Amino acid sequence: MEPETGPARRSCEKSRQLIAIAFDPAASTSEVLKGALSDAGDGPLEVTGTIQLKPDGSYLVETLVAARPDAPRDLLQTLEFLGPPDAQGRRPYTTEGTF
């Protein structure tokens, strides 16, 4: 069955910002799988960071996020909750938990 390709589907895909994750076997061990993440480059946010996954189902994601020049004003205001930006306009965001 082909995926839906109507207007609603296209507009949803346009508004989604995709994140790429590349795991690095050389940096990983039997206790933690490590990887890098980055955004697709076409959304309102620039995102770069790292991800760690552990056998117990826990994860740690550490990122730097920055608004791109065309980001909506409400997004800019929301980013202020993350604290002041660095010299490149990036703000740290970290989350951790378990699956």
Side-chain angles (χ1 to χ4, degrees):
M1 180 175 188
E2 289 295 315
E4 182 183 334
T5 58
R9 171 95 173 162
R10 282 193 298 268
S11 91
C12 178
E13 287 177 352
K14 276 186 156 183
S15 66
R16 248 187 328 198
Q17 180 167 339
L18 300 177
I19 300 292
I21 300 173
F23 288 100
D24 182 359
S28 301
T29 68
S30 62
E31 298 300 315
V32 62
L33 179 61
K34 295 182 180 183
L37 55 90
S38 61
D39 68 278
D42 58 353
L45 277 180
E46 175 186 339
V47 180
T48 59
T50 61
I51 183 169
Q52 296 182 22
L53 303 175
K54 294 185 178 177
D56 65 1
S58 64
Y59 63 87
L60 171 64
V61 177
E62 297 176 305
T63 63
L64 291 172
V65 297
R68 290 205 165 89
D70 60 343
R73 170 172 251 181
D74 59 338
L75 178 60
L76 296 172
Q77 292 172 334
T78 301
L79 288 177
E80 291 177 6
F81 286 103
L82 297 178
D86 65 12
Q88 290 79 37
R90 303 172 303 183
R91 300 168 197 266
Y93 176 75
T94 300
T95 187
E96 59 184 305
T98 56
F99 292 110

